[in-house]
Amino acid sequence: ESVVRDGRFIHQFQPQDAPGFNTTHYIHELSFGMPYPGLYNPLNKVVKVADEEQGTGLYQYFIKLVPTIYEAPDGARTNTNQYSYTERFRPLANQLTHTDHDHNKHGSHATHQATTVLPGVFWVYDMSAFMVEISYTSVPFSHFFARLCAIAGGVFTVMGIVDSL
């Protein structure tokens, strides 16, 4: 059972019931804004299972939001956000045979001793101070033709030098 109080989501359960609290979760889709071609949302389809071996505990997702402006080839602009994340699992204190691991999407790990935690899945958001602008520009045919002529001229020159030897 839970309640929202002063804008905060609060769990209500007995501490002795904490080991039976199932923190298994499946993130179907997580995005912040309109999608654009090539957008990668790293938390889509993430599955975490609280099994017998690992037990229950605290799942934390530290999300870094990056404001993004995407400009399509036709000039249409979309204001959206990208994100990266770091996740951490901390087991309950009574599961002393387990340690918790910090995982980020780059695969690094840090190990810590188990502490008393409130089991659940929590999200911590942080906005980046930087903005990314993605735009695509096409190269005119005249540039392609000039490069092709330069290559042909270089080949002609080298062949002339080789022929004179």
Side-chain angles (χ1 to χ4, degrees), residues 112-131:
H112 305 283
Q113 196 60 24
T115 58
T116 303
V117 297
L118 174 69
V121 180
F122 298 91
W123 310 85
V124 180
Y125 300 93
D126 186 26
M127 289 294 292
S128 173
F130 298 98
M131 177 180 279

Side-chain angles (χ1 to χ4, degrees), residues 7-77:
R8 294 186 176 156
F9 187 78
I10 301 171
H11 290 284
Q12 295 179 337
F13 63 88
Q14 299 297 324
Q16 64 270 18
D17 295 338
F21 193 83
N22 187 354
T23 54
T24 297
H25 58 282
Y26 177 79
I27 303 170
H28 295 274
E29 180 181 350
L30 181 65
S31 62
F32 301 90
M34 298 299 296
Y36 61 86
L39 176 65
Y40 173 65
N41 292 323
L43 281 173
N44 286 358
K45 298 184 176 144
V46 168
V47 178
K48 299 295 177 181
V49 178
D51 56 13
E52 292 279 333
E53 180 183 327
Q54 175 179 291
T56 191
L58 169 72
Y59 285 95
Q60 291 177 302
Y61 294 92
F62 301 93
I63 297 174
K64 182 77 161 191
L65 290 170
V66 181
T68 304
I69 298 173
Y70 172 79
E71 185 174 348
D74 65 359
R77 293 172 64 93

Side-chain angles (χ1 to χ4, degrees), residues 74-86:
D74 65 359
R77 293 172 64 93
T78 303
N79 291 320
T80 188
N81 295 285
Q82 299 179 67
Y83 67 91
S84 63
Y85 76 98
T86 302

